[in-house]
Amino acid sequence: MKSLHSSMAEKSLWDGLKPDELSAVHSLLTEPVWQISPTSEAAVYNYTEDVIALPFLRQGHVLLSEEWQPSPGDFVLDEERFPSMEETINIIHRRGFRIVFTIQPFISTESINFKDAVSNRLLISERGSDPRIPALTRYKQSNSIGVLDVTNNKTLPWLQSKLESLITKYHVDSFYLDLATAQDMPHYYKCGQPLTNPDHYKTIFTRSILGSGVPVIGVSGAISRPRAPVFVSLPPFSSSWKAIKTVIPTILTYGILGYPFIMPGAVGGDVALPMSDNNPDNDFEVNLPDKELYIRWLQLSTFLPVIRFTHLPSKYSDDSVLEIAKRLTSLRQKTVTPLLKKYANETLDTGLPIIRPLWMLDPTDPACLVVFDEFSVGEELIVAPILHSGSRQREIYLPAGVWRDGIDGSLRKGSRWIHNYRVAEDKVAYFVKIPDNTRF
């Protein structure tokens, strides 16, 4: 099955990959993504201060959500909330962080650019009506927005100039594309050139931006694999035990479908469950995930290609959480990151996923076909996280081979189950493959 997948997967992802693009891939594998809702300049500055205050963490990528603009589609910083952002970004850069701005293909009716976009017919129009009238939709907090028509030859140069101005003025390192979904498109839309389907818009928009030379590190979704170094985000997960159980199957599915470079959501979950205990006001954003859930999510994320934070471990004011985060960071840097980089390079040659189901290690083993709550990093490391509230043990299956237990260092033979395997709250079960001829 592994060879079948390899034969069907796209090969030679190295083709045309520039050294700086390969460096961007490795930076996402080795450095965290700090996702910030930029309510103010102080909020951004203080967040980076909090990261630096935890010396075991690496600086990484500061990902600002779309609120850095006064309105979606302005493509300029809100100077009232960010009066001296040039200097703040310079400071953040000197501290070793990279700056990433989230952009969307939308222009709000309240945007300073809406009139210009309408007069130049840069927006998707309403099907069956005057093409000068844009079709409007809503997305997130915006109730009235137009959608850039990327099939119009005038749209990309217009957008490119806006983004290049941001790069020039603020030294933005790259952009993250929040492309919404097909259901967020206007109901009766018409582009200058017809789309195969509404989701095809994502492909055209992403390729257009990449083709213009504007640096991009991630997209919120895709129906065809964007070229490296772009990572594809997983769908948002609610901050719940139910949601954490779906993370591994989702990642494995993406990998099998041909998306090896994936960017999981934030540790602890992306969105709050309506009317949950930690969200009594029914807010969209997570106030602070349940502590045990956060710890187990952090343990899982330690082994994934990209680790993304919204809430820092220091927010719990609990030394035990900080100690767990410190040990997991060390584990990721010493054990996981070298494997991620190794198998990322293999992926660029073969198209195989970095995060793999067990059946890719032993496709003839029936047990490997049914295990859905474990995964492997390449072929050398099995991860079996705790995904249930209050659990301190679980069933684990090891494929063929000899495996070193990451918790107690013991050697274990594969092709068998480990029953009632004990996993304390501050531990995560993982197993490193060693040579099959090892004697023990």
Side-chain angles (χ1 to χ4, degrees):
M1 294 178 73
K2 176 184 173 183
S3 59
L4 175 63
H5 182 275
S6 180
S7 67
M8 297 177 66
E10 181 182 346
K11 303 296 193 302
S12 300
L13 300 182
W14 286 102
D15 291 350
L17 195 64
K18 301 175 184 177
D20 60 327
E21 292 174 328
L22 180 59
S23 175
V25 171
H26 286 172
S27 73
L28 282 166
L29 297 175
T30 58
E31 300 170 351
V33 172
W34 309 105
Q35 184 171 315
I36 305 175
S37 180
T39 54
S40 67
E41 192 169 324
V44 177
Y45 182 88
N46 292 338
Y47 193 104
T48 60
E49 285 267 283
D50 291 342
V51 173
I52 291 174
L54 301 175
F56 58 87
L57 295 175
R58 303 190 67 169
Q59 280 76 10
H61 306 260
V62 175
L63 172 59
L64 303 184
S65 56
E66 66 278 1
E67 292 94 343
W68 54 270
Q69 311 166 91
S71 297
D74 284 344
F75 300 113
V76 294
L77 271 166
D78 186 336
E79 294 187 355
E80 289 188 8
R81 291 184 292 128
F82 306 99
S84 55
M85 197 61 172
E86 289 180 68
E87 178 57 27
T88 297
I89 290 179
N90 283 335
I91 294 172
I92 292 173
H93 272 144
R94 290 198 297 270
R95 289 174 168 176
F97 293 93
R98 295 177 173 87
I99 297 293
V100 184
F101 279 13
T102 298
I103 61 171
Q104 300 166 328
F106 304 122
I107 309 290
S108 169
T109 53
E110 299 178 0
S111 170
I112 57 175
N113 290 319
F114 185 75
K115 182 178 179 180
D116 183 36
V118 171
S119 62
N120 286 288
R121 300 191 185 184
L122 303 181
L123 302 176
I124 290 174
S125 62
E126 190 85 22
R127 188 167 68 243
S129 66
D130 190 327
R132 294 172 297 180
I133 301 175
L136 301 180
T137 185
R138 61 180 63 186
Y139 183 57
K140 291 186 176 179
Q141 307 304 316
S142 300
N143 293 321
S144 180
I145 51 176
V147 184
L148 286 171
D149 184 356
V150 287
T151 69
N152 182 335
N153 292 332
K154 295 188 296 183
T155 301
L156 181 60
W158 180 88
L159 178 58
Q160 182 180 353
S161 68
K162 303 289 185 186
L163 301 182
E164 288 177 347
S165 294
L166 287 168
I167 294 173
T168 300
K169 184 173 183 179
Y170 297 103
H171 304 288
V172 177
D173 294 285
S174 56
F175 294 94
Y176 175 86
L177 309 184
D178 179 4
L179 302 178
T181 64
Q183 67 181 12
D184 298 303
M185 293 284 279
H187 288 300
Y188 303 103
Y189 69 89
K190 181 181 180 181
C191 296
Q193 300 176 29
L195 302 178
T196 305
N197 63 64
D199 270 325
H200 189 220
Y201 180 90
K202 298 177 185 177
T203 302
I204 298 175
F205 190 90
T206 302
R207 287 178 179 171
S208 297
I209 296 295
L210 290 175
S212 71
V214 172
V216 175
I217 65 164
V219 294
S220 62
I223 62 168
S224 62
R225 178 170 54 198
R227 67 185 301 274
V230 179
F231 281 60
V232 178
S233 289
L234 298 184
F237 293 101
S238 63
S239 181
S240 68
W241 287 99
K242 180 179 180 180
I244 194 176
K245 297 178 182 66
T246 66
V247 173
I248 294 175
T250 304
I251 290 173
L252 295 178
T253 300
Y254 269 59
I256 295 302
L257 291 177
Y259 299 92
F261 295 112
I262 53 98
M263 185 184 295
V267 172
D270 301 287
V271 296
L273 282 175
M275 303 309 295
S276 62
D277 290 340
N278 67 336
N279 187 29
D281 298 323
N282 206 24
D283 293 330
F284 179 78
E285 295 184 357
V286 182
N287 291 325
L288 194 63
D290 170 75
K291 185 174 74 172
E292 183 190 3
L293 175 65
Y294 182 89
I295 290 171
R296 293 306 192 189
W297 211 305
L298 180 57
Q299 291 167 349
L300 165 60
S301 299
T302 295
F303 298 90
L304 300 180
V306 177
I307 186 164
R308 176 157 44 166
F309 289 90
T310 297
H311 302 284
L312 294 174
S314 54
K315 293 301 179 183
Y316 288 89
S317 301
D318 186 325
D319 289 342
S320 66
V321 177
L322 286 177
E323 183 59 31
I324 291 170
K326 182 178 180 179
R327 290 201 302 267
L328 289 172
T329 300
S330 176
L331 172 62
R332 181 175 176 89
Q333 292 173 354
K334 294 178 180 178
T335 302
V336 182
T337 297
L339 290 177
L340 292 174
K341 294 171 72 172
K342 172 184 175 179
Y343 285 100
N345 291 341
E346 179 182 302
T347 290
L348 290 168
D349 274 331
T350 66
L352 289 170
I354 300 172
I355 304 301
R356 302 177 184 178
L358 298 194
W359 56 257
M360 274 198 166
L361 278 65
D362 190 356
T364 63
D365 186 340
C368 289
L369 300 176
V370 298
V371 175
F372 59 88
D373 57 356
E374 300 177 31
F375 62 90
S376 70
V377 180
E379 297 185 342
E380 300 177 47
L381 192 151
I382 299 292
V383 186
I386 293 290
L387 305 174
H388 296 268
S389 176
S391 293
R392 299 294 183 269
Q393 64 182 31
R394 60 160 292 163
E395 303 291 285
I396 294 176
Y397 189 79
L398 295 179
V402 180
W403 303 87
R404 184 181 301 279
D405 191 314
I407 292 180
D408 63 19
S410 63
L411 300 184
R412 297 180 180 271
K413 287 185 177 180
S415 299
R416 63 189 64 187
W417 287 94
I418 306 175
H419 299 291
N420 301 319
Y421 182 87
R422 301 289 298 176
V423 188
E425 185 181 41
D426 64 340
K427 303 294 182 183
V428 57
Y430 71 96
F431 303 83
V432 179
K433 193 169 188 181
I434 61 175
D436 291 343
N437 59 0
T438 301
R439 299 181 63 183
F440 65 99

